[in-house]
Amino acid sequence: MIRKRYLLRNAGAALALAALAGCTGMNTTQSGAIGVNRTQYMSSMVPSQALEQEANQQYAEILQQAKAKGLLDRDAQQLARVRAISQRLIAQAPVFRPDASGWKWEVHVLSSDEINAWCMPGGKIAVYTGLISKIKPTDAELAAVLGHEISHALREHARERVSQQMATNLGLSVLSIATGSSAASDLGGQLTSVMFTLPNSRTHETEADRMGVELAARAGYDPRAAVTLWQKMGAAEQGSAPPEFLSTHPSAASRISDLQSAAQQVLPLYEQSKGKAAAR
């Protein structure tokens, strides 16, 4: 029995390594002024189009459920504000990936006490009213939130994480043969997991932070607002429970320091944007 378990563990590890070896190295975005150029590895088992299709379906279901409960886009003025800021950021997305101009972007506001916001693959955005009412962000701070979440989608972090899960599940599936259980999960379940349950990695968070401040700066929002935003988030965390946004977006003093550095790096882009706006 010990020998059998040993062989199964080795077989699982071999399959996981084989799956990882089958991943394609790529850089989903251009580096931008901020310099994001890490090589990413995506599994052929997780096509970008398939993940976007699943995201579209889940997003539609979330909106349908919210609408049925009277929780979708209840405040027209609030929705207009979020959409106006989002559109300015989206207009700058081609700096990182030109094909984003062809994405079918959507932006909605969901009535919920949670301090949260997210952007699914393909550009499906949701902002929760708790973020607006409890944090009370300025337009520039809200741009920092949205820029961060948009950057996750541009960088295809969800696809990268699902690819990693696929590789792990392939290895675990060998062990399930002995137990009769199923280690593999469907694509939709894995997307839900990486979007709404599992925390992002420090690498993904740093990339989204840095790209987000550049998007904000290019869109005419002061990138230094990202620092004040996270200070407000940290203050909100002092309550009885941390905001949902922080439970999946770890914050630390080192993160604030990195944001300060990134904001200074893209500050000239913000000044240029203001100059162009004044000229108009």
Side-chain angles (χ1 to χ4, degrees):
M1 181 64 70
I2 293 176
R3 175 63 176 172
K4 182 178 181 181
R5 287 198 296 265
Y6 176 77
L7 290 173
L8 285 172
R9 283 199 300 269
N10 279 330
L15 272 180
L17 288 172
L20 285 172
C23 289
T24 301
M26 64 179 67
N27 202 337
T28 56
T29 59
Q30 298 175 7
S31 64
I34 206 68
V36 174
N37 53 17
R38 174 181 60 89
T39 299
Q40 299 168 271
Y41 292 91
M42 304 292 187
S43 172
S44 59
M45 296 184 297
V46 190
S48 180
Q49 289 183 341
L51 199 64
E52 284 188 26
Q53 183 177 355
E54 180 61 39
N56 291 343
Q57 181 177 335
Q58 290 193 16
Y59 190 70
E61 291 174 357
I62 290 170
L63 296 185
Q64 184 178 16
Q65 292 171 7
K67 185 176 182 179
K69 297 177 181 178
L71 303 177
L72 178 65
D73 302 332
R74 293 174 61 178
D75 187 324
Q77 185 175 2
Q78 194 175 69
L79 175 63
R81 180 193 178 204
V82 172
R83 283 184 170 172
I85 295 171
S86 297
Q87 289 305 317
R88 286 172 59 175
L89 295 166
I90 291 168
Q92 302 303 319
V95 169
F96 288 105
R97 54 182 302 164
D99 67 313
S101 61
W103 286 7
K104 295 180 180 179
W105 296 87
E106 287 189 54
V107 183
H108 290 280
V109 176
L110 306 180
S111 293
S112 169
D113 288 336
E114 291 183 13
I115 300 175
N116 203 9
W118 40 264
C119 181
M120 301 187 83
K124 307 303 184 185
I125 299 171
V127 174
Y128 291 18
T129 54
L131 173 67
I132 299 171
S133 63
K134 295 180 180 180
I135 299 299
K136 302 187 186 310
T138 64
D139 283 359
E141 289 170 342
L142 190 51
V145 173
L146 290 164
H148 177 100
E149 295 305 318
I150 287 171
S151 296
H152 277 309
L154 294 175
R155 194 69 175 145
E156 294 191 56
H157 284 154
R159 183 181 169 209
E160 188 175 11
R161 295 168 68 202
V162 170
S163 294
Q164 293 166 352
Q165 283 196 358
M166 285 285 194
T168 300
N169 286 343
L170 272 181
L172 292 176
S173 65
V174 174
L175 298 181
S176 71
I177 295 174
T179 63
S181 63
S182 175
S185 60
D186 64 292
L187 185 62
Q190 292 187 12
L191 177 60
T192 299
S193 179
V194 301
M195 281 296 305
F196 304 115
T197 305
L198 299 175
N200 285 297
S201 71
R202 175 62 62 188
T203 297
H204 287 178
E205 286 301 286
T206 299
E207 289 179 348
D209 279 347
R210 293 176 178 176
M211 290 172 61
V213 295
E214 180 168 343
L215 286 175
R218 290 182 180 276
Y221 295 104
D222 191 334
R224 294 168 293 192
V227 176
T228 58
L229 166 74
W230 284 104
Q231 289 171 340
K232 287 183 177 181
M233 288 287 193
E237 192 178 13
Q238 301 305 313
S240 57
E244 181 66 20
F245 195 82
L246 285 183
S247 70
T248 55
H249 298 68
S251 184
S254 59
R255 183 175 200 171
I256 296 293
S257 177
D258 188 73
L259 279 169
Q260 290 172 331
S261 176
Q264 287 299 317
Q265 187 176 344
V266 300
L267 201 56
L269 296 175
Y270 169 57
E271 298 297 340
Q272 291 173 15
S273 178
K274 287 199 305 179
K276 291 178 181 178
R280 290 196 296 266

